[in-house]
Amino acid sequence: MDRASTRRLLAAAAATVAAGGGLIAGAAPAAAACSDVEVVFARGTGETPGLGVVGRPFVSALTGQLPDRTVTSYAVDYAANTSQSSAGPGATDMSAHVREVAASCPSTLFVLGGYSQGATVTDIAVGIRTGTTTGTPVPAELADRVAAVVVFGNPLGLSGRTIATASSTYGPRSKDYCNSSDSVCGSAPKTGTGGHLSYNTNGSTTAGAQFAAGLVRAAGTPAPGPTPTPEPTDPSQCVRDSTRDHVEADRAVSLYGRAYARGSRDSLGATSSFNVVSLRETATGGWELVAAC
């Protein structure tokens, strides 16, 4: 069940309680368990709310590709109107959902995606200017939680671009599927046959799921939140940890998504649960980057 459906069920349960239904008054519904992977997908123009005709088989295929992991999905809540003006608000909803889940589920990885106007939603959410409308992108500090970005029939192709060429951050983790006769994605590199309406039948969703699954496995699982490390008293003591945990333990500071050792200001790279480095305390109480502990 996707998260949007879960929310609707909870809302219905609340209404039942208010009406004097059979639920025990005052009993709070249990919070949804965190999944290993959350797919956040935006449907195409004119489709009814939900994952849409491309999102549903994509999520199903990805779930099948990751039998050893739990996979949940969220359908981006936006109008999907014919004027394309709803793409910006859709991107804002996509990024807001990523922030919400990331805050409560520190081990969850994300796969972002969309079809048609939903692909534009995804473009804006990963920080690409499309000229259609504007929205709030995924915060830079959460970029490393996004394992893959997969879109179908992306209008960005009309300008000769794909996410791979337009985003230095997400490009290496992205895949644009544009069929040979799809005028919506225009001059983008062709990845399949058929027009704009055949992505759910020509194998693109399966190929996209295989691509995303490979990146999810390569990304591993983020550390389940920072683990407090006792402050060393011996100046020669060395601590090996992720840059995010170094920042949480005050051994480093984070500025614009990059970590720097406190005191020495040694550059440690991206502030991330995946970026693990060794720091040694100096005689002056600061920290310096060392090759290994």
Side-chain angles (χ1 to χ4, degrees), residues 114-133:
Y115 163 55
S116 193
Q117 185 179 178
T120 303
V121 168
T122 310
D123 296 336
I124 298 171
V126 299
I128 299 172
R129 291 180 178 273
T130 66
T132 304
T133 181

Side-chain angles (χ1 to χ4, degrees), residues 58-287:
F58 174 70
V59 171
S60 177
L62 182 59
T63 302
Q65 288 287 325
L66 297 170
D68 56 333
R69 307 198 184 199
T70 54
V71 179
T72 53
S73 63
Y74 172 76
V76 173
D77 184 8
Y78 85 118
N81 59 31
T82 55
S83 69
Q84 310 293 301
S85 61
S86 58
T92 298
D93 183 73
M94 177 178 278
S95 62
H97 182 75
V98 170
R99 288 197 308 272
E100 175 188 342
V101 175
S104 57
C105 299
S107 294
T108 296
L109 293 172
F110 298 91
V111 173
L112 307 184
Y115 163 55
S116 193
Q117 185 179 178
T120 303
V121 168
T122 310
D123 296 336
I124 298 171
V126 299
I128 299 172
R129 291 180 178 273
T130 66
T132 304
T133 181
T134 59
T136 303
V138 173
E141 63 269 22
L142 295 179
D144 61 354
R145 299 281 297 275
V146 178
V149 181
V150 183
V151 293
F152 306 85
N154 190 356
L156 188 67
L158 292 172
S159 63
R161 295 180 294 166
T162 63
I163 296 176
T165 61
S167 173
S168 58
T169 300
Y170 295 96
R173 292 170 267 167
S174 72
K175 186 73 172 179
D176 280 64
Y177 287 88
C178 180
N179 288 334
S180 57
S181 58
D182 186 352
S183 60
V184 172
C185 49
S187 59
K190 306 308 176 185
T191 56
T193 58
H196 191 61
L197 303 179
S198 60
Y199 292 102
N200 60 333
T201 59
N202 71 351
S204 293
T205 54
T206 299
Q210 291 171 341
F211 171 82
L215 289 172
V216 167
R217 294 194 182 284
T221 303
T227 302
T229 303
E231 291 293 333
T233 56
D234 179 358
S236 65
Q237 187 168 352
C238 181
V239 179
R240 183 169 178 79
D241 215 336
S242 71
T243 51
R244 189 178 299 279
D245 285 357
H246 281 310
V247 170
E248 291 290 338
D250 207 35
R251 294 184 291 271
V253 296
S254 183
L255 183 65
Y256 299 116
R258 296 188 66 83
Y260 300 86
R262 186 171 292 282
S264 69
R265 302 296 293 173
D266 288 341
S267 177
L268 310 180
T271 303
S272 165
S273 298
F274 301 115
N275 183 17
V276 178
V277 299
S278 298
L279 294 182
R280 182 174 59 200
E281 191 178 30
T282 65
T284 59
W287 295 84

